[in-house]
Amino acid sequence: RSGCCQIAIIYDGKYTNTNMRLKLPITCFILEIILIILFGVLVEYDKETDAKKWHHSNHSEYDNDFYYRYPSFQDVHVMIFIGFGFLMTFLQRYGFSSVGFNFLIAALALQWATLMQGFFHGMQGGKIHVGVESMINADFCTGSVLISFGAVLGKTSPVQLLVMAVFEVTLFAVNEFILLSLLGTRDAGGSMTIHTFGAYFGLMVARVLYRPELDKSKHKNSSVYHSDMFAMIGTLYLWMFWPSFNSAITAHGDDQHRTALNTYYSLAACTLSTYAMSALTADDGKLDMVHIQNAALAGGVAAGTAGEMMLTPFGSMIVGFLAGIISVLGYKYLSPILESKLKIQDTCGVHNLHGMPGVMGAIVGAVTASLATKEIYGDGLKDVFPMVAPDGRSASSQGGIQAISLAVTLGMALVGGLLVGFIMKLPIYGAPSDASCFEDSIYWEVSSKKLLETSKLCICPQPVDIVSLETQ
Amino acid sequence: RSGCCQIAIIYDGKYTNTNMRLKLPITCFILEIILIILFGVLVEYDKETDAKKWHHSNHSEYDNDFYYRYPSFQDVHVMIFIGFGFLMTFLQRYGFSSVGFNFLIAALALQWATLMQGFFHGMQGGKIHVGVESMINADFCTGSVLISFGAVLGKTSPVQLLVMAVFEVTLFAVNEFILLSLLGTRDAGGSMTIHTFGAYFGLMVARVLYRPELDKSKHKNSSVYHSDMFAMIGTLYLWMFWPSFNSAITAHGDDQHRTALNTYYSLAACTLSTYAMSALTADDGKLDMVHIQNAALAGGVAAGTAGEMMLTPFGSMIVGFLAGIISVLGYKYLSPILESKLKIQDTCGVHNLHGMPGVMGAIVGAVTASLATKEIYGDGLKDVFPMVAPDGRSASSQGGIQAISLAVTLGMALVGGLLVGFIMKLPIYGAPSDASCFEDSIYWEVSSKKLLETSKLCICPQPVDIVSLETQ
Amino acid sequence: RSGCCQIAIIYDGKYTNTNMRLKLPITCFILEIILIILFGVLVEYDKETDAKKWHHSNHSEYDNDFYYRYPSFQDVHVMIFIGFGFLMTFLQRYGFSSVGFNFLIAALALQWATLMQGFFHGMQGGKIHVGVESMINADFCTGSVLISFGAVLGKTSPVQLLVMAVFEVTLFAVNEFILLSLLGTRDAGGSMTIHTFGAYFGLMVARVLYRPELDKSKHKNSSVYHSDMFAMIGTLYLWMFWPSFNSAITAHGDDQHRTALNTYYSLAACTLSTYAMSALTADDGKLDMVHIQNAALAGGVAAGTAGEMMLTPFGSMIVGFLAGIISVLGYKYLSPILESKLKIQDTCGVHNLHGMPGVMGAIVGAVTASLATKEIYGDGLKDVFPMVAPDGRSASSQGGIQAISLAVTLGMALVGGLLVGFIMKLPIYGAPSDASCFEDSIYWEVSSKKLLETSKLCICPQPVDIVSLETQ
């Protein structure tokens, strides 16, 4: 009999090059052993985690930064593993891979990021010092990789993704170093370093990996009812914890407090405009789960740079409001063009959720920075703009630097994505065929029973007696 | 062919008045633009979030209230969006709407609540000051709206819900002002202000919106296996984080600590009595998911007022134990009567989870307050009962005030719900027909594939070849 | 007609001894009333939760331990109720029971644990003092019971589980007292007290409750697609919050900070080796969800004892890396042997996730302790090893004590599990028949509609027209 259910079964036998029995273990083992050796040679506890160093100076146990950063870290951690992981489970037959590969590459990326960021951002005495701040920064860098994962979701093997993670983390750290250390850019929530970088890197990779015959697996590149419900878990955790994300590494005190507050208002306003635009752009006025799951988060992305600044709740809400509108319009009108004209198959629409809102956030940050004055920030100016206060560069210079940083980030992301895309295109990683994209059973044990359940959910070209398939 | 699957398809074409293409965007845009303007005119950072004000006085960055309230805020935030959102996904074909409309009206309500609560609870220099405490209070107020949403779940359009949210938030703020500011009532966890108010307001709205022919969509007003699993996510997050909810805005120090502890014990005892009563009230002794999902939470509601007082673990457990019993009995015996006699169709049974336990919590609070003495509270009396200590009203007066506050709240909720119910009854919001209640596909894009999946889950009056429906 | 769907319906009528109408309410009510009485007699607020005691001494409200333990507590709480609860929902027809019985026995166990741990670990003036530390400890003890639950999952009645919880909590408290108080063992994250004890206790219970004819319900002892997705929610919450778990009750300051960091690296390395081994041990190189859901957590278990020590990130990663390998090998090769040779039917494979990694963690802890020196720990030595510093036992003695503690724990667990297993084997608790194991509908209301949905997911020996079953 024909029908997609049978096609799925055929896949299993046919494309044996996707067999991961050696490729994946070898990659994982080599990478992890290298990591362990480098950690052994290079990594040390910082002065807040080392028993001797901490007790060497005189302070209360309660002054340890653990108590002022760790709750934020845990929220960020949930966003990385549950938020990103479940957001991508919207595909009907790709839930294991979405949440499972997200888990795998995040676990790798956070280790590699610890080394790369530590290397670029200040080794002390030849050692990388780790503590809760390095954990947050590593999770941030990981987030960038997961954004790129969203662009190529369903079309890559786990080995390809690990390779991408290694290179992208490295380039992320270089870009972050240029911005934060060399240029003195402010980007606490990563509108540029995380979202813009991750999105355009991933889009360029997707461009290089363009599959002209992806239509073959088109029927699986969509959601079913329960997969959309799982995706909403991811969406809501990202939405709820975004204030923690943007404020996780800002200066202590009012800075963290203000950043969380700004992001909270930006997201709330964004949600209203997302629902409005989703209904408005549909002929029948029905809400589209794709918009709700994604565009409602654009307010967090767009507040990533300016969130720590005196953006005011008023400003935050305007930013979020516009971000939601832009993002829905992107999903509705721009994504099809990206695919047809630019040959970029952006599975999760990261251009709409992270790309455009990230650029918008960078611009908002540049403008807000250029308007900073001692009158508005008082003695807090030095926390938000250490390069400006007390007698550094002018606020408008800072704004200019912010704008330059956006350009640098875009350049790094596009060139980096191009190069890494070609590395990922080598036919040695066991990538799926065009017809077996968006399909868990290529890389995961999915029993015939499990297959039956999901098979019923796909569109069959002709009536199929679903139960009798079981006996094939 | 007949069968519910086909009926569902018919709905789509027939009731075109449910088209949200203009209604929803116009409502969202107008509300959000009004909000943005009012925020621009009225809202300022408080002294803990403003860069200048914070740095004006001399203190450690670590003294910022962010570090002592924000973790509680995040737990409350999860309860609002994941807890309430997923608790209501138990309906088989209403998951998108449950979690999606919850998201929408919560995002609106928290913005509007910030303004209303700020207006009533102390503008300074003509400005509303915002920070982590206003965020928690706004989320609390939002919780009340979501309780009312539970009563009308499945029977309203998103525009109706937004209208309800605007009015309910306003009345909530008035009632809260009367209780907390005018009467000096103690209600940190909101047994009265949040639960009693939200429940009876929602019940009155449901009464006004009574649908005599709701039987037409009866087959969809129930759960399926996976929808009950999703609902358990909501239940457990509410259960786990309720100690944070009740303690989120109590005084710092022992008060927050004690409130969390009392709530923890109340919930644990409530869970045991809920399981016991669920089995006891079933002929075959089988547990009912409705009870587990809801009644096990009644212990948190009932400890909302007295939680911050010296209720003792012993007292907390008795309160929780009784709350669980009352709640299950309500689901089993009272809800059917409410529907048949009082014409209140309470979809989620909010009367059993929030109404009766809320009233019980208010009474427990009144009794506990009237027993407060300097011997028991020591110098902590002023934190828990600032109106009593050092030489204010007597403890029994405080108890009397607490009891009066319950009456005020019930009155405000019932009258408010009545009025707002009639506003919501206007035939301009695109409410679903009786036959299309509890159905996502009225307001959401649900592809035929998605529809197929859910269609198979409904009871059909006669055998239906489910696959051939696909080809219609 | 034959087919598993029909079999499921037959069960309902046939095994009436599983009726919980009296058994469960009587058990719950008696246990809860005993608990309430004992709490009334024995339990008091500690000095951080009592209004009078707290205000008696002179300190800032912000010094209350609530602010330094409660965020960790909430993470642990999520692990207990969402983590363990959803991890066990992988079974296709046992989701209600997995998450629901987990909820019930955890709610009981944490109350009973408060009494037992309070009794053994220091009553003051005849009273047990409670606060956030007792809440964390009670949740820890509960975790041990839930591990044992995993071994017998699907084969016990809720009454049996409550009986197990009461006895296991008691024995847990005795073992914990011997280790922590008598021997001065260090085991902050519970590699021994929680994981080793819970696993071997549960395995021995499973041995006593061995069912030779469990094959009858074999077709239900496996997952389906969506149940594996729900289980991943549990896995990820356990994974993300494990750093909070291991650090929840270590000393304040660098100790908590270091423990979280070590656990974070151990888990990350463990994830890589788990994926590698899962692909390597499959003929077709496909990843197995069982491994990902479970073995990726072994790194947290294995870092439970040494996590607070100066294990270094390097050491932590090696530990995690090896734990993942051992755990996957256990699932693949050891579990079948345990069942066929030792007659231990370990439903969740707790031997692989908690047993072996727990023993490994104990050994790592013993070795790390024996290597402790003043040079490495400085003045922090007294926090990590109070029995060693300043002039107590030698580090190698501490190491020896740690090794002895493992032996004591294993002995207590095996003997305790044996005895409690026989108590649980009494034919009075309404245990399911061999054919009705792994089946929610024995103890839960599952409407025919719900049944239909799940029925379709089981393997039928011959084609079944699933819709017509509805009309039977």
Side-chain angles (χ1 to χ4, degrees), chain A residues 298-348:
Chain A
V301 175
T305 302
E308 66 172 329
M309 304 175 191
M310 291 289 287
L311 184 58
T312 75
F314 173 66
S316 306
M317 287 162 76
I318 293 173
V319 169
F321 186 73
L322 296 177
I325 292 172
I326 289 171
S327 190
V328 173
L329 291 176
Y331 275 100
K332 191 78 187 180
Y333 304 107
L334 195 55
S335 282
I337 295 172
L338 280 186
E339 177 154 4
S340 60
K341 304 291 180 197
L342 299 183
K343 298 187 177 176
I344 296 173
Q345 294 153 328
D346 176 6
T347 311
C348 293

Side-chain angles (χ1 to χ4, degrees), chain A residues 10 54 82 97 136 154 192 264 267 289 299 303 320 354 417 419 444:
Chain A
I10 291 168
W54 174 253
I82 288 280
S97 303
I136 294 171
M192 289 176 277
Y264 169 84
L267 286 162
M289 262 290 168
H354 301 279
L419 295 174
W444 295 84

Side-chain angles (χ1 to χ4, degrees), chain B residues 180-421:
Chain B
L180 305 192
S181 300
L182 298 188
L183 297 176
T185 312
R186 302 302 292 176
D187 193 19
S191 288
M192 289 177 278
T193 53
I194 301 167
H195 298 287
T196 303
F197 183 84
Y200 288 97
F201 185 98
L203 291 167
M204 194 50 104
V205 169
R207 174 65 192 82
V208 177
L209 300 182
Y210 178 67
R211 291 168 177 265
E213 298 199 54
L214 194 59
D215 272 358
K216 284 182 183 172
S217 52
K218 193 182 181 182
H219 59 286
K220 284 176 292 181
N221 185 6
S222 63
S223 65
V224 288
Y225 197 77
H226 284 307
S227 70
D228 271 326
M229 291 298 297
F230 279 114
M232 279 304 289
I233 296 175
T235 296
L236 287 175
Y237 272 101
L238 289 169
W239 196 93
M240 295 183 300
F241 288 169
W242 217 296
S244 304
F245 188 93
N246 283 350
S247 68
I249 53 159
T250 59
H252 285 306
D254 61 298
D255 300 76
Q256 283 200 282
H257 200 156
R258 183 172 57 250
T259 311
L261 189 71
N262 286 338
T263 309
Y264 169 83
Y265 287 124
S266 179
L267 286 162
C270 180
T271 303
L272 271 282
S273 64
T274 295
Y275 274 81
M277 290 304 294
S278 185
L280 189 64
T281 57
D283 288 338
D284 53 4
K286 290 186 183 178
L287 296 163
D288 188 332
M289 262 291 169
V290 172
H291 304 155
I292 307 307
Q293 284 161 5
N294 292 282
L297 300 168
V301 175
T305 303
E308 66 172 328
M309 304 175 190
M310 289 290 285
L311 184 59
T312 76
F314 173 66
S316 306
M317 287 162 76
I318 292 173
V319 169
F321 186 71
L322 296 177
I325 292 173
I326 288 170
S327 189
V328 173
L329 291 175
Y331 275 101
K332 192 77 188 183
Y333 303 109
L334 196 55
S335 282
I337 295 173
L338 281 187
E339 175 154 4
S340 60
K341 304 292 180 197
L342 299 183
K343 298 186 177 176
I344 297 172
Q345 293 155 328
D346 177 7
T347 311
C348 293
V350 299
H351 187 247
N352 312 304
L353 170 50
H354 300 279
M356 293 190 295
V359 171
M360 181 185 161
I363 296 169
V364 170
V367 173
T368 312
S370 69
L371 297 174
T373 64
K374 180 83 181 174
E375 279 64 51
I376 298 170
Y377 290 81
D379 290 338
L381 190 62
K382 66 182 183 306
D383 285 350
V384 186
F385 301 107
M387 305 296 282
V388 174
D391 29 39
R393 59 172 72 133
S394 69
S396 54
S397 302
Q398 181 70 34
I401 293 286
Q402 300 284 134
I404 290 166
S405 300
L406 174 61
V408 171
T409 301
L410 284 168
M412 289 284 296
L414 292 172
V415 175
L418 188 71
L419 295 174
V420 176

Side-chain angles (χ1 to χ4, degrees), chain A residues 222-223 225 228 237 240 244 252-254 256-258 262 275 280 282 286-287 310 312 317 375 383 457, chain B residues 21 45 49-52 54-55 64 67 70 74 95 100 111 132 237 440-441 443 445 449-450 453:
Chain A
S222 62
S223 65
Y225 197 77
D228 270 328
Y237 272 101
M240 296 183 299
S244 304
H252 285 304
D254 62 299
Q256 282 201 282
H257 201 156
R258 182 171 58 249
N262 286 339
Y275 275 81
L280 189 63
K286 291 186 181 177
L287 296 163
M310 291 289 287
T312 75
M317 287 162 76
E375 279 63 52
D383 285 349
L457 310 181
Chain B
R21 183 150 192 198
Y45 292 124
T49 38
D50 187 280
K52 190 176 188 177
W54 175 253
H55 283 87
N64 196 292
Y67 302 107
Y70 187 73
Q74 273 300 1
Q111 295 177 76
V132 70
Y237 272 101
D440 271 337
S441 65
Y443 300 117
E445 286 294 342
K449 198 182 345 168
K450 292 181 193 177
E453 186 198 16

